[in-house]
Amino acid sequence: MATAGRKRGRKKKKKKIKTMTKKITKLTKKFKATLQLRHQHCTKLIPHLIAAISSAHSFLLRHDLHLLPHQSLSLESLISSSSSSISNIVSLLSLPPPPPLAAPPPRAAVTSPSDDDSLPGCWFQRFLIADSDTLWAETFNLTEPSFTLLLRLLTPSLSSLSVPPNYALALTLYRLAHGASFSAVSRRFGIDSPTACRVFYTVCKAITENLGHLFELKSDINRVIVGFGWISLPNCCGVLGIEKFELGGDLLGENGFLIVQALVDSEGRFLDVSAGWPSTMRPETVLRKSKLYLGVEESKEYLNGSSFELNDGNSIPQYILGDSCFPLLPWVLTPYRGESNVEDGAEMAFNSVHRRGMQLVGTAFGRVREKWKLLARKWNGQCIEAFPFVIVTCCLLHNFLIKCSEAVTDETEEYPRFEEFPVFDGEVDESGKKIRDALASHLFRVSQRE
């Protein structure tokens, strides 16, 4: 009985296998016929595609100075990806390889500052010959006079490079402004990608070392305090916020990011920037580890000026407004969250002014991302330790442009922010509460007079 059952089972399986084999064979034949038909179509289309790519490439070579940077970069990227796809298809179909694209005009490699005149085919050399004020602003996000001033400040720090200082600075600004790859900037400046990489990080380092004085918390505090008079904040020394900068890959996990803490004045200048903290760190920990905190709490070099006497007899020491993710301290005043001892009107008046102040941080970071597009996308570079320096570089360039009276971006534009950090839920500083209550009552009286 058992033997007969096994025989029936084998027979059933054999029949099923036969049926499946027939089906697979039939589908395979159908697939081959379809593939052959598509092969014929592809064979006819490929020459047209190659001609279109070649035409676009020739257009780019002829008009690269007349295209906006984002236009030339987009076209260049499309040509590159399309050429790669065509090569893969040709290889799969066993067709003859397509002809190479036309080479750009011959150019000598930059090996020293004296080689500047030997680069007739280099894009930047032709850019300099064109000498257009409009091109400077569109290409490098600053005017030629500002570029010249910045170059003069940085040149002593760029002497070790194998390229002329003006090439090095222009290359760095171009990459920051448009998020261009190292291969894209290397083609424009007549050097190889590894050299472009070294040049970029060297210039970023030079900017952080030579323009650090533009973080003016210590050097120009009186101007900062006067600036906050527009929202009736006496003795205010800035607005403290925090921002996320996304990382690609799994450098800090799937959704990892770097935290940047920044203090901003009433004009949107950065007064202090602490960058490079991992996303696993809480904002209050970032604050306590920052140079700003140490400068206030330990060395006493910041916020050490005289107090401001209010009309009701209370005095307000120098302070900053802080986001709700920070702890309330005598010098960091965060918004009320329903735990106040002041009248409702005073709480509302303080929180309203606080919200207006905090918008300064979001606007400042928004303008930096808008101006320097490299920060507007995920950082996919392998050198994660260099990213904080790139962020600080862009913040300093932001201040430099304001100093040069250059338009940063549209004054009326609103910028999207990442979701807010969780509200701080630790202990509340009693001295900080008293100072905030006194300031809230002052703001309420001011609002009653308006």
Side-chain angles (χ1 to χ4, degrees):
M1 291 282 294
T3 303
R6 282 196 294 271
K7 285 182 178 180
R8 283 197 299 273
R10 289 197 196 101
K11 191 174 181 180
K12 204 178 210 179
K13 288 178 182 175
K14 188 176 180 181
K15 186 177 180 181
K16 189 172 183 180
I17 290 171
K18 189 176 181 180
T19 302
M20 291 173 63
T21 303
K22 282 183 177 180
K23 188 174 182 180
I24 291 172
T25 303
K26 184 178 179 181
L27 288 172
T28 302
K29 287 180 179 179
K30 187 176 181 180
F31 175 75
K32 285 181 177 179
T34 305
L35 189 61
Q36 187 175 9
L37 188 61
R38 290 183 177 176
H39 183 288
Q40 293 172 354
H41 286 310
C42 287
T43 304
K44 291 178 181 178
L45 286 173
I46 284 174
H48 297 288
L49 289 172
I50 292 173
I53 293 170
S54 180
S55 175
H57 183 68
S58 298
F59 174 84
L60 182 61
L61 292 179
R62 290 195 308 272
H63 302 286
D64 57 354
L65 279 180
H66 305 290
L67 296 173
L68 294 173
H70 76 271
Q71 293 173 328
S72 64
L73 286 167
S74 296
L75 184 56
E76 193 175 272
S77 176
L78 178 62
I79 291 169
S80 177
S81 59
S82 299
S83 298
S84 178
S85 297
I86 288 292
S87 296
N88 291 334
I89 293 171
V90 165
S91 177
L92 287 171
L93 297 178
S94 300
L95 295 174
L101 294 172
R107 63 187 68 175
V110 181
T111 57
S112 70
S114 62
D115 287 340
D116 196 2
D117 294 331
S118 65
L119 295 164
C122 173
W123 170 86
F124 184 57
Q125 178 69 12
R126 290 183 285 113
F127 176 92
L128 293 174
I129 294 171
D131 194 25
S132 166
D133 291 338
T134 304
L135 282 178
W136 279 94
E138 291 174 344
T139 307
F140 302 113
N141 277 348
L142 77 179
T143 61
E144 187 176 5
S146 295
F147 180 92
T148 303
L149 173 60
L150 185 56
L151 179 64
R152 188 162 65 244
L153 294 171
L154 300 181
T155 293
S157 301
L158 305 179
S159 58
S160 62
L161 289 173
S162 59
V163 302
N166 62 331
Y167 276 69
L169 178 57
L171 180 153
T172 301
L173 293 175
Y174 191 94
R175 174 164 159 77
L176 290 173
H178 308 291
S181 65
F182 285 120
S183 59
V185 293
S186 68
R187 285 191 290 271
R188 284 164 174 76
F189 291 86
I191 57 177
D192 56 50
S193 292
T195 301
C197 181
R198 286 193 297 273
V199 166
F200 175 76
Y201 288 118
T202 299
V203 174
C204 286
K205 183 173 182 289
I207 289 173
T208 58
E209 290 176 349
N210 289 277
L211 299 187
H213 63 279
L214 295 180
F215 290 153
E216 298 176 339
L217 175 60
K218 188 177 178 181
S219 61
D220 204 8
I221 192 64
N222 290 331
R223 176 193 63 80
V224 175
I225 291 173
V226 170
F228 280 98
W230 70 281
I231 48 177
S232 304
L233 280 172
N235 232 14
C236 181
C237 299
V239 182
L240 186 69
I242 209 159
E243 187 78 350
K244 299 177 181 179
F245 286 84
E246 294 181 293
L247 298 169
D250 56 355
L251 295 171
L252 285 176
E254 185 178 352
N255 297 310
F257 54 86
L258 289 186
I259 294 174
V260 178
Q261 174 188 283
L263 185 68
V264 174
D265 72 5
S266 61
E267 298 177 53
R269 302 177 196 234
F270 291 95
L271 301 173
D272 180 83
V273 176
S274 182
W277 305 99
S279 52
T280 53
M281 192 173 285
R282 295 173 65 87
E284 63 266 26
T285 306
V286 172
L287 172 62
R288 294 184 192 280
K289 288 181 175 291
S290 67
K291 180 183 175 183
L292 174 65
Y293 185 90
L294 298 176
V296 176
E297 294 285 352
E298 295 187 10
S299 67
K300 310 296 183 183
E301 61 178 310
Y302 299 142
L303 310 187
N304 56 7
S306 58
S307 297
F308 181 87
E309 296 294 327
L310 300 175
N311 293 335
D312 61 0
N314 286 311
S315 63
I316 302 291
Q318 290 184 346
Y319 64 91
I320 60 179
L321 296 183
D323 209 342
S324 59
C325 59
F326 294 120
L328 174 65
L329 299 171
W331 55 277
V332 180
L333 303 185
T334 57
Y336 286 104
R337 302 193 309 275
E339 77 283 16
S340 68
N341 295 319
V342 296
E343 61 268 38
D344 290 342
E347 180 179 325
M348 290 176 61
F350 179 85
N351 281 357
S352 175
V353 171
H354 189 280
R355 278 192 299 273
R356 292 171 65 189
M358 291 310 304
Q359 288 172 359
L360 293 168
V361 182
T363 299
F365 274 121
R367 288 173 176 171
V368 166
R369 291 180 191 271
E370 180 68 21
K371 195 79 171 177
W372 309 108
K373 295 288 196 301
L374 188 63
L375 298 186
R377 59 191 64 184
K378 287 186 178 182
W379 179 263
N380 290 311
Q382 296 299 314
C383 195
I384 185 176
E385 62 270 17
F387 189 32
F389 291 98
V390 176
I391 296 170
V392 173
T393 294
C394 292
C395 293
L396 286 169
L397 288 172
H398 171 88
N399 284 9
F400 177 78
L401 291 178
I402 294 176
K403 200 83 170 177
C404 293
S405 301
E406 293 210 17
V408 181
T409 47
D410 182 4
E411 293 287 331
T412 63
E413 187 163 354
E414 295 184 3
Y415 301 95
R417 297 283 315 275
F418 285 99
E419 71 266 12
E420 296 181 356
F421 285 81
V423 173
F424 175 75
D425 59 358
E427 294 185 10
V428 176
D429 185 281
E430 290 301 320
S431 178
K433 282 181 64 176
K434 291 178 182 178
I435 294 170
R436 184 176 63 180
D437 289 348
L439 182 58
S441 297
H442 165 76
L443 292 173
F444 178 61
R445 291 193 296 272
V446 170
S447 68
Q448 294 295 99
R449 294 197 297 266
E450 293 178 349

